[in-house]
Amino acid sequence: MSKIALLFAMLVSMPMITACSASEQVPEAPVVKQQLLGSPVYIQIFKEERKLELYAKMGNEFRLVNTFPICNFSGGLGPKRREGDFKSPEGFYSVDAHHLKPDSKYYRAINIGFPNDYDKSQGYSGAYLMIHGECKSIGCYAMTNTYMDEIYRYVEAAFAYGQSRVDISIYPFRMTEQNLKRHASSSYIAFWRQLKPGYDYFAKNHQPPMMTVDNGQYVLGQPLMSSGQMTQYASASPTPNTNPFAQNKPLTEVK
């Protein structure tokens, strides 16, 4: 009877395991990662799992370059609401090359652009919320310097090669129904439900979600279309033969 009970328990647990891991990709091989340097990139952050995922565009999909452990963040789960609450933001952010801080006192940094339109609609306050190095956080997402080097290099290369904005999606946890049910009693659950369509869209389409704000709510927009296929960017991904970043040239050599 004990063997039957064990088999039953395994069968019951299988759907939950599948649901929790369905959106997780396997990182590309090192040689492919090098070829993707200079391609458009996308970042996902998961607080509870303490993971930052860096994606790069390959063909018409964004593929996982690497998953980095987050060294530190502050304030627990939930969105940042006011300056001085020491919470790290959650939501959908978009940055351009001006958000890069190569001379940050925390090694290197990417300003995530808080507050965004949603945050402003809620009256949230705060500034200079970053992804940075030095493993110290008072509201930012802190990485080790080694990991920050790789993240920064891909983002800088993407901008230098023509990407105008990089989307950063920040979630409290992987937005599965199981996880949402687990946190159903949280005061943040209504807000987290707004984030789920963006999470689901990327998991299904491997394209960054186009999120807008309507009446103080996050809304999933329609993707841009090109030649009958979904695309988030106007320019095509660079080919290995023409991409200077794939040839290990210093970033400063690209004009």
Side-chain angles (χ1 to χ4, degrees):
M1 291 296 292
S2 60
K3 290 183 178 180
I4 295 174
L6 177 60
L7 178 60
F8 178 76
M10 291 174 64
L11 290 172
V12 169
S13 65
M14 283 178 65
M16 182 176 294
I17 294 171
T18 302
C20 290
S21 60
S23 67
E24 298 183 53
Q25 297 183 24
V26 176
E28 296 296 331
V31 64
V32 177
K33 292 179 184 180
Q34 183 60 32
Q35 298 292 352
L36 290 173
L37 190 62
S39 297
V41 296
Y42 170 59
I43 291 173
Q44 287 192 136
I45 290 175
F46 299 97
K47 276 185 175 178
E48 191 171 62
E49 292 83 355
R50 302 181 73 91
K51 290 182 179 180
L52 183 151
E53 295 177 344
L54 174 67
Y55 294 83
K57 192 176 184 183
M58 183 169 66
N60 203 48
E61 291 187 346
F62 280 75
R63 306 302 302 172
L64 183 63
V65 174
N66 217 338
T67 298
F68 304 93
I70 295 172
C71 187
N72 212 343
F73 70 90
S74 59
L77 302 185
K80 181 175 183 62
R81 290 177 168 173
R82 63 183 182 278
E83 188 169 3
D85 64 6
F86 301 110
K87 290 186 74 70
S88 301
E90 295 173 7
F92 300 100
Y93 297 87
S94 181
V95 304
D96 60 25
H98 295 96
H99 289 81
L100 298 183
K101 307 294 179 184
D103 56 350
S104 169
K105 67 178 181 179
Y106 295 106
Y107 189 57
R108 291 189 175 93
I110 303 170
N111 187 327
I112 68 170
F114 181 94
N116 62 13
D117 288 344
Y118 173 86
D119 302 321
K120 292 174 184 176
S121 75
Q122 303 299 312
Y124 296 167
S125 62
Y128 308 113
L129 280 302
M130 312 272 182
I131 301 168
H132 61 61
E134 296 295 347
C135 207
K136 301 174 184 177
S137 173
I138 50 172
C140 299
Y141 291 96
M143 317 297 294
T144 65
N145 290 353
T146 299
Y147 292 149
M148 193 63 211
D149 261 335
E150 185 172 352
I151 297 164
Y152 193 96
R153 187 166 182 247
Y154 272 86
V155 173
E156 185 180 43
F159 284 138
Y161 207 68
Q163 185 175 0
S164 59
R165 302 194 70 84
V166 170
D167 291 332
I168 303 173
S169 300
I170 306 176
Y171 301 103
F173 40 76
R174 295 196 182 276
M175 307 301 289
T176 63
E177 282 298 332
Q178 288 84 356
N179 282 339
L180 286 166
K181 288 177 182 177
R182 184 163 55 88
H183 291 281
S185 62
S186 171
S187 60
Y188 303 122
I189 191 64
F191 168 71
W192 290 340
R193 283 284 178 187
Q194 294 179 49
L195 307 184
K196 183 170 170 54
Y199 172 87
D200 289 343
Y201 182 87
F202 181 75
K204 178 181 179 181
N205 299 290
H206 305 296
Q207 290 277 340
M210 296 187 66
M211 304 302 296
T212 60
V213 178
D214 186 20
N215 293 322
Q217 302 280 309
Y218 278 121
V219 177
L220 179 64
Q222 295 298 314
L224 299 175
M225 304 298 290
S226 176
S227 302
Q229 292 183 313
M230 290 181 297
T231 180
Q232 193 76 3
Y233 302 97
S235 59
S237 298
T239 62
N241 292 332
T242 60
N243 182 354
F245 294 99
Q247 302 168 23
N248 292 316
K249 292 185 178 181
L251 300 181
T252 53
E253 290 187 12
V254 179
K255 304 299 183 182

